[in-house]
Amino acid sequence: MEDFEWVQAENKDLQRGIKILHELVGPDSIAVDEHDNLYTGLIDGRVMKIMNPGKAKQSVVELTKSFDFAEGSKRNKKRPLGLRLHGSKLYFADAYQGIIMIDLKSQTYDIIVDYDDVNPPLILPDDLTITSDGKTIYFIDMSLKWTYDDVAISILEGQCSGRLFKVDVLTKNTELILDSLCLPNGIEIVENETHVLMSEHGRRRLTLVNIKSAEVVRHIAFPTGTDSIRKRKNGGYWVGMPYIAEPGHFATWGPVFREIFAGALGSGGIFTKFDLSQGAAVKLNEYFDPESIHLDLEGKLCRAVTEISELSDGTLAVGSFIANGIALVDGSAFD
């Protein structure tokens, strides 16, 4: 990690806060509305709304209580991952079912992209972003080979079969923009909406893509695999890092050795090779350059960080794909 100057920091920034709702397991992604209510998807397939988070009148509602968005699907599993709000519509990428929309007013749902609406079918839809007019969604499919059940193998093997799509929300017409991506697991549309910034976890980098020409414009190297990317309130971006790979860790190996190692370990043994007890998040400036890293190396409040979303007062809502509860961190001292 010595090649990344911005990593040379020791702090406890991600310990400055509280944990709420320990009974909510695996809040991978967290969307925030104009009233600072939170929305998240859980490991058991539920989608939740948290009102007045961390305050005296905090309350929780299950948005999926009245329906099953996997009903009738040949895939009977659910795992909501990346979430986005646009007006009264909550969109999310489900790891098994595709791209789903919940109408918060009518408490109904719609499948925007079913997993088998494209060819080859979606294997692991992971995250999405939406244009400001709400008409177009850009989303990523992490792998053509490994499902969410085998995500650890996909990370270790590091193969590059991920895809970037766009879908017209009204017509549901879906188009492939780019393929051969290396485990894309995070996406954010940039300010002028001509580009998207993606995480390519399998190559430890962020990738800037011109969505008009479908060309890669730039790679931003990281010392470890990145996850979701979300805009900061004052410009720039937050990037979650689920684990920190020390020098010599298998995540830094070449793809051939990683594939051999993956075959030898199998899915049961791979997660034991990740240290998911720590929390880390990186702040990017508006030009996509990493500025600083923020840590909870003891895992007291944050661990296996997948996403950072900001509330209006600068509080950071920290998502994790395995943690119990949502961490609310005081981000005011980070600027």
Side-chain angles (χ1 to χ4, degrees):
M1 297 172 69
E2 62 273 12
D3 295 331
F4 300 90
E5 292 183 3
W6 49 271
V7 178
Q8 308 308 312
E10 293 186 11
N11 60 63
K12 297 183 178 182
D13 289 346
L14 296 187
Q15 293 183 6
R16 302 175 184 175
I18 61 170
K19 180 69 74 70
I20 63 171
L21 301 168
H22 291 259
E23 66 272 22
L24 303 185
V25 182
D28 181 88
S29 176
I30 301 169
V32 184
D33 69 17
E34 68 271 21
H35 303 295
D36 282 343
N37 299 312
L38 307 182
Y39 302 78
T40 192
L42 306 179
I43 204 166
D44 60 13
R46 293 180 295 160
V47 179
M48 315 297 285
K49 177 180 180 180
I50 301 106
M51 293 159 283
N52 301 305
K55 298 179 181 177
K57 295 183 179 181
Q58 175 179 281
S59 60
V60 183
V61 174
E62 181 189 341
L63 298 176
T64 47
K65 190 173 184 178
S66 62
F67 58 82
D68 179 3
F69 61 85
E71 185 176 6
S73 172
K74 293 179 181 178
R75 296 178 178 174
N76 57 7
K77 295 183 178 182
K78 296 177 286 186
R79 185 26 166 145
L81 296 173
L83 292 92
R84 297 284 183 170
L85 276 167
H86 192 275
S88 62
K89 307 290 178 64
L90 178 68
Y91 298 90
F92 62 93
D94 184 85
Y96 300 98
Q97 303 304 329
I99 306 301
I100 315 293
M101 181 274 292
I102 297 176
D103 188 315
L104 299 175
K105 290 183 178 179
S106 65
Q107 296 294 299
T108 58
Y109 77 96
D110 189 18
I111 298 176
I112 305 300
V113 184
D114 204 327
Y115 73 89
D116 60 359
D117 282 348
V118 299
N119 186 28
L122 302 175
I123 299 297
L124 208 175
D126 192 279
D127 197 11
L128 57 85
T129 188
I130 188 166
T131 54
S132 57
D133 61 11
K135 295 181 179 180
T136 305
I137 290 173
Y138 296 92
F139 68 95
I140 45 179
D141 187 28
M142 195 170 176
S143 172
L144 280 176
K145 184 176 180 181
W146 302 109
T147 68
Y148 186 78
D149 302 308
D150 294 313
V151 68
I153 298 180
S154 72
I155 293 171
L156 175 51
E157 187 183 81
Q159 53 85 31
C160 299
S161 63
R163 296 173 291 174
L164 168 64
F165 293 91
K166 75 172 181 178
V167 57
D168 184 296
V169 173
L170 183 61
T171 67
K172 300 183 181 179
N173 180 56
T174 306
E175 298 178 26
L176 175 68
I177 296 177
L178 202 60
D179 59 10
S180 301
L181 298 169
C182 301
L183 301 180
N185 63 340
I187 186 170
E188 179 64 284
I189 196 164
V190 304
E191 295 298 336
N192 58 13
E193 301 195 347
T194 60
H195 296 69
V196 292
L197 186 65
M198 294 186 300
S199 290
E200 283 194 276
H201 191 98
R203 289 294 181 270
R204 307 183 309 281
R205 66 192 182 195
L206 302 182
T207 299
L208 185 64
V209 176
N210 183 318
I211 48 182
K212 306 297 182 183
S213 64
E215 294 178 334
V216 172
V217 177
R218 180 183 174 192
H219 292 303
I220 301 99
F222 269 66
T224 190
T226 53
D227 209 293
S228 295
I229 308 161
R230 293 298 185 264
K231 290 175 182 172
R232 292 161 50 197
K233 296 292 185 183
N234 297 324
Y237 305 85
W238 281 108
V239 181
M241 299 202 323
Y243 58 91
I244 298 174
E246 297 296 336
H249 190 271
F250 70 75
T252 66
W253 298 356
V256 174
F257 290 103
R258 289 167 65 172
E259 187 169 358
I260 294 171
F261 196 42
L265 278 179
S267 58
I270 291 175
F271 265 134
T272 64
K273 304 302 179 181
F274 293 93
D275 184 356
L276 299 175
S277 66
Q278 301 175 325
V282 173
K283 184 192 294 184
L284 307 182
N285 63 24
E286 60 185 320
Y287 304 107
F288 320 114
D289 298 313
E291 287 186 340
S292 55
I293 189 168
H294 305 274
L295 304 168
D296 180 358
L297 296 180
E298 299 165 294
K300 289 186 175 180
L301 184 63
C302 300
R303 68 186 186 99
V305 174
T306 47
E307 187 175 303
I308 300 283
S309 294
E310 287 192 26
L311 280 66
S312 60
D313 64 356
T315 297
L316 306 179
V318 182
S320 169
F321 76 107
I322 58 169
N324 289 61
I326 295 173
L328 298 178
V329 174
D330 179 9
S332 60
F334 293 5
D335 292 325

